[in-house]
Amino acid sequence: MDIGSVGEIVWSRLSDDDAMSLALMVAVIAAVLYLRRPEERTSLRNTLGLCVLGFAGVVAAEMLAAFSLGTAGGVVREAGVVLAGLAIIRLWGQFLFRVLLPLARMTPPRILEDLVVIVAYVSWGLVRLRLAGLDLSGIVATSAVITAIIAFSIQDTLGNILGGLALELDSAFGIGDWIKVDDLVGQVVDIRWRSVSIQTRNWETVIVPNSHMVRSKVLVLGQRLGAPRQWRRWIRFSVAYSAAPARVIAAVEAALKAAAIPHVATDPAPNCVLVDFDAGFGRYAVRYWLTEIAQDDLTDSKVREHVLAALQRSGMRVAVAEHNVHVVSEDRAHAKQVAQRELERRMKSVRSVELFAELTADEVRTLAARLEPVPFVAGDAITRQGAVAHWLYILASGSVEVVLERPGQAAHRLAQLEAPTVFGEMGLLTGEPRHATVTATSSIECYRLEKAAFEEVLLKRPALAERMARILAARQEDFEREVNHLAAHARNAEGSRLSDEILGKIKRFFSIASA
């Protein structure tokens, strides 16, 4: 038989309606899976390769039959049909469970897909054996022995399958849950017939056999019946006994409750406890509830920043293990230089404030020596609207946000202040409650100037009060214009009256006699 005749026979087989329908069906399903499941395209290509190999086997069988090699052609054809059938079953399984059912808002577990496909594989194999003329009754008669042999040889695989079924039926955890197994902590991303896939925060995917999952103790993180998903974390630190525990706890809790820290739950609120006693210091711990488990290390770091800043603002230091060190000599000159540099830095901050522009060098030095460093980190509430505090803040570095809180309305952002600047001056000079809330928008370095420190300067030069009153009046008008949307010409009409009013408040607050 010549090549042309063989080609005609093969083409007649390929152009058969059944063959064309089957090829079209495979092409449509593959195209849908390719578009709908881009993350599984590698698996899809492998399945299509198996299908093409099966079709090629059928074509090769027709060619062998055309050359009178019927026996060989029959074997090749059967192998091709089996391969193509397995590939088509796999395609249909993916199409049904990963496209059709999700469109119907049904999300069956992946293990169900695996089991259905495996059953279909076995059924397809039995059908092909029956069509090949194999008598299955004999196999059934000896099934007990065969089953025992197979079960013994694949006991690990059966353990994984049964373990996967147990995990699905228990519903103790599911895809998306964070779990801890032995020393492994990660998020469950897949549960298959053989294993559970867990992704760690280090961008690792760990495959754990189902049989091991069933035998091990599994901690499901952040889950409590009737409560949102949030995981309690512990941040430990130590403070010397010179600071009373009640003072440490109050300072830390107040700072954390007032701060807006991402991924930290407000209910339950963070709290601080005295954990233990040690040589020279007490051991404390902050307990907070994490709402996004993947952000544990970053959030721990943010909480530590707030704890450290709160302790420093309160004049307390984090304690460290003490060691006896024999000092040969003390570099007093170096310590003096460091202190002088810090004083000059504070004096520069005082001079940058318009309010203190008329102070003499000695007056600036006096205020600088009385400044108290008070660091804050992003999210810390530095002042609260309505609070009474007789001090101002000099912002040396970083930025803050000024927000007006109105009853029954959303908070209104008034300004973003960048260093160097000052805020809270009305509280220092007049004793009035804070007009707005000021929150740190970055880690900031800030100095606090209290009334007692400024009083020394103002009582020696009462004339300073008049100029300061004018500056405060201008700031107050800007504040009121922002709040009440006053007309631009209102400033000139009200400026003198407001300045006199503020001057009177300053004199009364500092007990300065009127001229």
Side-chain angles (χ1 to χ4, degrees), residues 24 43 89 99 208 397 440 447 468:
L24 181 61
S43 175
I89 290 172
V99 177
V208 183
S397 66
Y447 296 105
M468 291 180 175

Side-chain angles (χ1 to χ4, degrees), residues 72-322:
V75 173
V76 173
R77 184 180 187 282
E78 189 61 31
V81 169
V82 170
L83 288 179
L86 294 177
I88 292 172
I89 290 172
R90 182 61 179 160
L91 286 173
W92 267 106
Q94 293 177 330
F95 183 65
L96 174 63
F97 284 92
R98 305 185 192 185
V99 177
L100 293 183
L101 291 181
L103 288 177
R105 298 186 178 181
M106 299 173 61
T107 54
R110 184 63 62 87
I111 191 173
L112 179 60
E113 174 191 343
D114 293 338
L115 291 177
V116 169
V117 170
I118 290 173
V119 170
Y121 285 163
V122 173
S123 301
W124 175 244
L126 293 176
V127 168
R128 296 313 304 175
L129 289 175
R130 185 71 182 88
L131 293 177
L134 182 63
D135 185 8
L136 299 179
S137 59
I139 297 177
V140 174
T142 58
S143 59
V145 177
I146 295 176
T147 301
I149 295 173
I150 294 176
F152 181 78
S153 61
I154 61 171
Q155 55 182 333
D156 290 339
T157 302
L158 289 176
N160 289 327
I161 295 175
L162 295 177
L165 289 174
L167 293 175
E168 288 293 345
L169 293 176
D170 269 351
S171 299
F173 60 84
I175 294 175
D177 287 339
W178 284 82
I179 64 174
K180 180 178 181 180
V181 185
D182 300 330
D183 294 329
L184 173 67
V185 176
Q187 187 176 33
V188 178
V189 295
D190 202 1
I191 301 176
R192 305 297 295 269
W193 65 272
R194 188 187 69 85
S195 61
V196 174
S197 298
I198 302 174
Q199 286 184 353
T200 70
R201 285 158 295 192
N202 297 328
W203 287 56
E204 301 164 338
T205 300
V206 183
I207 310 300
V208 183
N210 289 333
S211 57
H212 181 78
M213 295 292 293
V214 172
R215 293 194 304 267
S216 302
K217 180 176 70 174
V218 179
L219 299 181
V220 183
L221 306 181
Q223 281 196 10
R224 187 173 185 176
L225 187 62
R229 175 157 49 181
Q230 48 194 31
W231 184 28
R232 191 171 76 172
R233 303 282 294 171
W234 292 70
I235 304 298
R236 301 178 186 274
F237 61 98
S238 301
V239 179
Y241 291 130
S242 57
R247 183 165 169 250
V248 175
I249 292 171
V252 171
E253 287 187 349
L256 293 179
K257 290 176 182 177
I261 309 176
H263 312 306
V264 174
T266 56
D267 184 22
N271 58 63
C272 180
V273 294
L274 177 60
V275 177
D276 201 356
F277 301 104
D278 211 322
F281 52 83
R283 295 188 180 276
Y284 295 83
V286 167
R287 302 181 300 182
Y288 78 91
W289 280 258
L290 180 68
T291 59
E292 182 57 56
I293 297 178
Q295 301 294 328
D296 56 348
D297 291 338
L298 178 61
T299 309
D300 286 352
S301 175
K302 294 292 183 185
V303 173
R304 289 190 185 97
E305 289 182 27
H306 284 271
V307 170
L308 180 59
L311 294 174
Q312 291 175 340
R313 291 196 300 271
S314 302
M316 296 177 284
R317 297 176 59 186
V318 174
V320 295
E322 296 182 356

Side-chain angles (χ1 to χ4, degrees), residues 458-463 465-466 503-515:
L458 189 59
L459 291 181
K460 292 179 181 178
R461 276 218 295 159
E466 185 175 348
L503 178 59
K505 291 179 179 179
I506 295 175
K507 289 182 176 181
R508 287 191 297 272
F509 189 56
F510 286 90
S511 301
I512 299 174
S514 299

Side-chain angles (χ1 to χ4, degrees), residues 330-356:
E330 183 179 359
D331 192 350
R332 295 183 179 178
H334 174 71
K336 187 176 180 179
Q337 290 176 358
V338 172
Q340 181 62 29
R341 283 198 299 268
E342 174 60 20
L343 180 61
E344 291 174 356
R345 190 165 182 269
R346 295 186 185 189
M347 291 175 64
K348 182 180 178 181
S349 297
V350 173
R351 293 192 189 99
S352 68
V353 178
E354 179 189 10
L355 201 62
F356 305 137

